[in-house]
Amino acid sequence: MNHDVDAQTWCKSVVMGWNLGNSLESAGAFWNYDKYDWTNVWEKDYAKWETAWGNPKTTKEMIQAVKAQGFNAIRVPVRWVPHADIETMEIDANWIARVKEVVDWCLAEDMQVILNTHHELWFESYPLSSMKETLDTKIGKLWTNIATAFADYDGRLAFAGTNEVTANWASPTAENYDVQNSYNQAFIDAVRATGGNNTKRNLIVQTYATDPSYGLAGFVIPNDPTENRLSVEFHYYSPYSYCSGHEGSYYYWGKAFAEKGEITPDGNEDTISNLFLKLRKEWWDKGLGIVMGEYGCSCHFTENDKQTQLDNIQYYLKTLVSEARKNGIAAFVWDNNAFGNGSERFGIFNRNNNMSVDAPFFLDGIKEGSKNEFVADVEYDEGDPDVGVGGKVIWEGEELLNWDKGFQAPIPASEFTSFTDQVTIVLYYYQDKNASYEDIQLMDGLWSAKVQFTVGDSKFDGDFNPRSFYSTIGESHITPMIFTGSSLSKLKSVGVNLQGYGVVLTKIVVMSEPNAILLPTVSPYSHAATYNLQGMKLCQPRKGEVLIVNGRKIMK
């Protein structure tokens, strides 16, 4: 590829990206957050920290093996302190030589490379206004030294300023957002000031906690004197109930596996496509590149259906990578050389066994997804329409759902007795941007059991997570929840109770069929209902008529 390219071209050129995980960012001690120093040091020689987490020292042959399997980009996570002095940020000459050696091996294979600061707990764990000025200065010094050391490297090498900045993984405050945005600006200012190739080098800045939803809520595009050489980074291990890989349990992921067993309640194919469209609209359409610096699903299964579950993981990765490629997102899978069954088992290449592929279902899913190409023209939804117009208003106001401490809405059975085939409860609400999570829960009777319903093409068993479904924080939504069959029978018999957390409810409407359902994205697995422009459902649309199907205007 032409080495002097803009951010979006750089990102689109990443066909398959890989992380050299748990290697150059490893540590031989624990960081003491209160003392602001290293404690419990078990490896006093910093030069040996590369192998402190159990992985062998990286070799040229390892990089060649990754390239041979089709990867054309590598993200190299690097811990700089204590290899760099925490005050002056002067980097040990042997350490900078070692990092250069690994980067050189990647470039020798004509791979694109991301070099970052990783697990720099001395600033990542302190997104506080009281420390912002001091840490901005230190970040600037560190990146001045890194950028100077790599000043002559060509455009295949990109720099990423931070990793996962977070205060104990709690929901961010305005202060947290502000500090992350400040870190991003300090990084850019330092690198650009070194001149040379760094003047036009592609730089990557991060969302708070590298969480995409937090990025949509609080990320501010920093000032960069160089046009079109800036990308935004997020990480994706969602849904957590699936990707975390807790041993002994298994949720199947995706509507394509809906008949295999219990489906994860907080994410499916639509969740990914919805989110990536939002990121594309928010950042790509403003000239920024987008990098998914880490993604993955820990290997986990139960012995009674192991092969189907491994196939499901392969399908998840295929879907994720395919959607990333479609939207120009440079995706880098996390590989920590850990294998087996359970949490944190993200290994693909066995570095202790000549780089054998010990998780072929991971690799095959990535390869399948990588075949997708960037789609230049995509359609965006214009938001949630008022699908509840014409229904009966059961309640209206403004109340926070906060489980037993917040608003609860019992809807009596008498409100449902007139419906025969289906009933729709339309909820109007907005997301509490300060909540750590969101849940809308519908129970039948006296909080006795969850009641099933559908939203769009997705089935839910009592609990609906707006944040996962819409991939937003702090926005307003109008969500039609459709009840049929035994669920409708329960409602007609005992009614339904509504409670939840993290959303502010403003109206509840009951009706038979909602008006034209404009939900987030088209699902390739559904046979969607068809409506005319007046919101009437059509059984036999006429040729030449303008219709609405899955939220899109089409002409038959």
Side-chain angles (χ1 to χ4, degrees), residues 437-511:
Y437 69 96
E438 299 164 9
D439 191 16
I440 297 175
Q441 187 179 85
L442 290 98
M443 310 285 283
D444 65 81
L446 300 174
W447 308 111
S448 58
K450 298 178 180 180
V451 59
Q452 294 182 340
F453 55 88
T454 60
V455 178
D457 300 318
S458 301
K459 295 180 180 180
F460 296 90
D461 187 15
D463 290 279
F464 176 77
N465 187 320
R467 185 175 298 185
S468 294
F469 187 81
Y470 291 107
S471 303
T472 59
I473 293 178
E475 294 188 12
S476 299
H477 297 291
I478 304 173
T479 303
M481 300 175 171
I482 299 175
F483 303 78
T484 59
S486 60
S487 294
L488 174 57
S489 297
K490 288 183 179 179
L491 266 58
K492 294 172 70 172
S493 173
V494 296
V496 68
N497 294 292
L498 184 151
Q499 63 177 1
Y501 183 84
V503 300
V504 178
L505 200 64
T506 57
K507 187 163 64 171
I508 303 174
V509 171
V510 172
M511 61 197 308

Side-chain angles (χ1 to χ4, degrees), residues 237-539:
Y237 297 96
S238 297
Y240 180 79
S241 61
Y242 181 74
C243 294
S244 59
H246 292 300
E247 187 176 359
S249 63
Y250 195 93
Y251 289 106
Y252 292 86
W253 182 88
K255 290 176 282 187
F257 280 72
E259 303 304 321
K260 300 299 182 180
E262 187 174 0
I263 296 294
T264 178
D266 50 357
N268 57 25
E269 297 92 340
D270 288 346
T271 307
I272 295 174
S273 57
N274 295 344
L275 173 63
F276 287 5
L277 272 177
K278 288 179 183 296
L279 300 183
R280 179 167 178 164
K281 186 175 184 179
E282 184 68 22
W283 299 327
W284 189 274
D285 288 357
K286 296 176 182 177
L288 300 172
I290 306 177
V291 175
M292 185 161 62
E294 296 179 19
Y295 72 89
C297 178
S298 184
C299 178
H300 61 293
F301 52 84
T302 56
E303 293 296 339
N304 64 324
D305 199 14
K306 176 179 177 179
Q307 188 56 56
T308 303
Q309 292 164 0
L310 297 184
D311 290 344
N312 188 219
I313 295 174
Q314 178 173 326
Y315 173 72
Y316 168 83
L317 294 175
K318 171 189 174 182
T319 304
L320 182 60
V321 174
S322 178
E323 284 295 321
R325 291 281 293 154
K326 172 185 174 182
N327 289 285
I329 299 172
F332 292 77
V333 67
W334 184 253
D335 185 343
N336 61 357
N337 195 38
F339 302 90
N341 178 19
S343 61
E344 293 296 320
R345 308 295 179 176
F346 292 103
I348 300 175
F349 297 96
N350 190 332
R351 300 178 214 171
N352 298 305
N353 187 36
N354 297 316
M355 295 296 280
S356 60
V357 178
D358 286 9
F361 46 94
F362 280 169
L363 184 59
D364 290 344
I366 295 167
K367 285 184 175 181
E368 291 171 14
S370 70
K371 295 175 183 178
N372 205 357
E373 299 287 345
F374 174 72
V375 178
D377 298 317
V378 296
E379 296 181 22
Y380 298 107
D381 289 308
E382 297 304 320
D384 298 326
D386 194 346
V387 297
V389 170
K392 180 180 179 180
V393 178
I394 300 297
W395 174 87
E396 193 165 9
E398 189 170 9
E399 296 287 349
L400 174 67
L401 302 187
N402 187 19
W403 297 122
D404 60 317
K405 298 177 182 178
F407 179 72
Q408 299 181 1
I411 307 176
S414 58
E415 297 292 351
F416 305 107
T417 54
S418 62
F419 297 97
T420 55
D421 297 324
Q422 75 171 46
V423 66
T424 303
I425 298 176
V426 183
L427 300 183
Y428 297 67
Y429 58 95
Y430 60 88
Q431 299 166 286
D432 179 2
K433 63 181 180 181
N434 296 316
S436 57
Y437 69 96
E438 299 164 9
D439 191 16
I440 297 175
Q441 187 179 85
L442 290 98
M443 310 285 283
D444 65 81
L446 300 174
W447 308 111
S448 58
K450 298 178 180 180
V451 59
Q452 294 182 340
F453 55 88
T454 60
V455 178
D457 300 318
S458 301
K459 295 180 180 180
F460 296 90
D461 187 15
D463 290 279
F464 176 77
N465 187 320
R467 185 175 298 185
S468 294
F469 187 81
Y470 291 107
S471 303
T472 59
I473 293 178
E475 294 188 12
S476 299
H477 297 291
I478 304 173
T479 303
M481 300 175 171
I482 299 175
F483 303 78
T484 59
S486 60
S487 294
L488 174 57
S489 297
K490 288 183 179 179
L491 266 58
K492 294 172 70 172
S493 173
V494 296
V496 68
N497 294 292
L498 184 151
Q499 63 177 1
Y501 183 84
V503 300
V504 178
L505 200 64
T506 57
K507 187 163 64 171
I508 303 174
V509 171
V510 172
M511 61 197 308
S512 177
E513 292 186 358
N515 295 303
I517 302 178
L518 298 175
L519 288 174
T521 59
V522 175
S523 166
Y525 310 101
S526 66
H527 299 284
T530 302
Y531 300 83
N532 63 18
L533 295 183
Q534 288 72 48
M536 296 177 58
K537 188 175 181 181
L538 304 177
C539 296

Side-chain angles (χ1 to χ4, degrees), residues 104-251:
D104 288 345
W105 289 335
C106 299
L107 295 176
E109 299 301 319
D110 197 24
M111 304 178 83
Q112 294 168 246
V113 182
I114 294 177
L115 185 64
N116 80 342
T117 63
H118 205 94
H119 294 321
E120 303 296 333
L121 302 179
W122 54 273
F123 77 81
E124 286 183 8
S125 300
Y126 304 91
L128 307 171
S129 297
S130 61
M131 300 181 68
K132 181 174 71 170
E133 184 175 353
T134 297
L135 295 178
D136 278 352
T137 299
K138 288 186 176 183
I139 290 169
K141 288 180 180 179
L142 177 59
W143 270 109
T144 296
N145 293 332
I146 298 171
T148 300
F150 288 90
D152 295 333
Y153 281 64
D154 63 42
R156 290 173 296 176
L157 175 64
F159 296 153
T162 68
N163 184 47
E164 295 173 346
V165 174
T166 175
N168 298 319
W169 299 104
S171 295
T173 64
E175 176 186 31
N176 300 149
Y177 282 132
D178 176 65
V179 173
Q180 173 69 74
N181 291 325
S182 185
Y183 287 168
N184 290 339
Q185 192 63 61
F187 157 66
I188 291 172
D189 292 345
V191 174
R192 295 299 185 219
T194 60
N197 286 349
N198 292 328
T199 302
K200 56 184 177 180
R201 188 175 308 283
N202 278 296
L203 302 183
I204 304 167
V205 291
Q206 289 68 40
T207 68
Y208 181 80
T210 57
D211 184 294
S213 296
Y214 296 158
L216 290 169
F219 172 79
V220 175
I221 299 174
N223 296 318
D224 186 358
T226 306
E227 293 185 357
N228 302 321
R229 298 298 172 103
L230 192 64
S231 296
V232 186
E233 179 183 355
F234 71 96
H235 296 171
Y236 198 80
Y237 297 96
S238 297
Y240 180 79
S241 61
Y242 181 74
C243 294
S244 59
H246 292 300
E247 187 176 359
S249 63
Y250 195 93
Y251 289 106

